[in-house]
Amino acid sequence: MYGGDILNDVTYMELSETERLFLREAWDLASQFNGVLPDLKSCAFRLRQDEKKLEKIYASLNAKNWFYEVTERDLKKESNGGSRYLTKEK
């Protein structure tokens, strides 16, 4: 998703400012790990945020389907030429 696309995405713009900020930072962080977020403790450290605060924001975004879980099986597919996304394609 490109900058202009995200700014015109109603679902994204309906998120709270805190959720939007974390989502953008999460995308930046995940880009360093082949599209997968590290564990929450590592996220909190890298983003210089309180872990409990991030846990609540993550849960809210996850409930709104902005994230999905990646399994070991998914990771094996990735190494065989598949693709992986931090968020669901819209």
Side-chain angles (χ1 to χ4, degrees):
M1 189 174 277
Y2 297 98
D5 295 337
I6 197 77
L7 295 175
N8 290 315
D9 186 296
V10 173
T11 307
Y12 175 79
M13 296 308 286
E14 288 176 339
L15 297 174
S16 72
E17 185 176 332
T18 302
E19 290 171 326
R20 287 194 311 266
L21 177 60
F22 173 68
L23 189 56
R24 297 299 290 258
E25 289 178 337
W27 286 334
D28 291 343
L29 184 56
S31 73
Q32 297 174 14
F33 298 96
N34 296 318
V36 178
L37 281 173
D39 63 275
L40 203 54
K41 184 175 183 172
S42 297
C43 285
F45 173 75
R46 294 287 304 273
L47 300 176
R48 308 306 192 258
Q49 297 287 332
D50 177 69
E51 188 174 347
K52 295 290 183 190
K53 179 182 173 185
L54 286 188
E55 188 173 6
K56 289 178 185 177
I57 298 166
Y58 177 85
S60 176
L61 288 167
N62 196 36
K64 295 174 183 177
N65 296 314
W66 280 95
F67 298 114
Y68 69 92
E69 299 296 320
V70 177
T71 65
E72 288 297 321
R73 187 175 187 176
D74 295 328
L75 294 174
K76 287 179 184 174
K77 283 183 197 175
E78 168 74 10
S79 66
N80 292 327
S83 62
R84 184 172 0 139
Y85 297 93
L86 172 66
T87 58
K88 294 182 180 181
E89 289 188 279
K90 294 197 177 230

